[in-house]
Amino acid sequence: MGRVYERIDERQAAWIARQAMFFVGTAPSGDDGHINVSPKGPIGSLRVLDDHTVAYLDVVGSGAETIAHLRANGRICVMFCAFDGPPRILRLHGEGEYVRPGHPRFDELLAVGFAEPEAPEARRAFIVVNVTRIADSCGYGVPLMSYEGERPHMDLSTAKRLRVEGPDAMRAYEQANNLQSIDGLPALS
């Protein structure tokens, strides 16, 4: 049976840092719209800031569902699961916000020391989560898997886009692809 915890303690923070990746779940308000679950990594792009706050560095991607949903209602769940060692799932439910480059808080978060993409232009936002519920569960259904390493595709794709389209390519990509969610909710608009 799973347990609910009062805070993210040192043991949990260390366990989180040992995982290869994490997942983020958000949903729009109301009965309509698409629920979104995104795999995220590397794990170094996420940091436990204190016993009720985590943040991760979000990079430019094909969609902006998380940001759109946070703008709509702030609800977010960050999930970690052990693919090796003892089975375990840890979920951090909370209220999230996004902090874009250019905001003074962005540079403060960057100074914490997150794993970053090779090109700084790929940085889209920090997602900061005020954690209101911390719970684990057995993880018996999660398969054992071996970690082989990080994929180079994100950095290679960004480098090519910058080389071909110029220094503003990532902002242009955001304007073309990240202004709203798949349900038409405002994201980076």
Side-chain angles (χ1 to χ4, degrees):
M1 189 67 171
R3 296 188 329 188
V4 176
Y5 299 90
E6 299 264 332
R7 62 186 186 90
I8 303 169
D9 63 24
E10 297 78 23
R11 184 181 58 83
Q12 290 165 330
W15 183 84
I16 288 169
R18 289 192 305 272
Q19 304 317 301
M21 62 180 299
F22 57 101
F23 300 86
V24 173
T26 59
S29 300
D31 296 334
D32 295 329
H34 293 82
I35 296 168
N36 186 64
V37 178
S38 294
K40 301 290 183 184
I43 196 64
S45 65
L46 179 135
R47 292 284 184 255
V48 174
L49 300 180
D50 63 41
D51 60 0
H52 282 92
T53 313
V54 298
Y56 70 89
L57 181 59
D58 188 44
V59 296
V60 175
S62 58
E65 303 308 300
T66 301
I67 290 173
H69 295 161
L70 292 179
R71 287 183 67 171
N73 58 42
R75 296 179 304 163
I76 189 167
C77 179
V78 181
M79 185 186 82
F80 309 88
C81 51
F83 293 110
D84 63 1
R88 183 179 188 200
I89 296 171
L90 181 68
R91 290 180 182 88
L92 307 177
H93 293 92
E95 296 287 324
E97 63 177 310
Y98 66 100
V99 179
R100 295 272 290 153
H103 189 283
R105 196 159 163 225
F106 187 90
D107 290 334
E108 292 172 18
L109 288 163
L110 203 53
V112 171
F114 292 80
E116 292 197 53
E118 286 182 13
E121 295 88 347
R123 299 174 190 150
R124 178 165 57 189
F126 276 105
I127 305 299
V128 181
V129 181
N130 174 29
V131 179
T132 57
R133 184 175 192 272
I134 304 151
D136 66 7
S137 57
C138 67
Y140 294 165
V142 177
L144 286 169
M145 297 168 57
S146 298
Y147 176 75
E148 292 185 33
E150 299 299 322
R151 296 178 189 265
H153 297 78
M154 181 69 74
D155 286 328
L156 292 173
S157 173
T158 300
K160 180 179 179 182
R161 187 175 307 281
L162 291 168
R163 186 174 61 254
V164 171
E165 299 173 27
D168 296 326
M170 300 314 286
R171 301 300 73 86
Y173 183 88
E174 286 177 337
Q175 289 297 307
N177 298 284
N178 295 165
L179 292 184
Q180 58 184 329
S181 74
I182 57 176
D183 296 318
L185 297 171
L188 298 180
S189 58

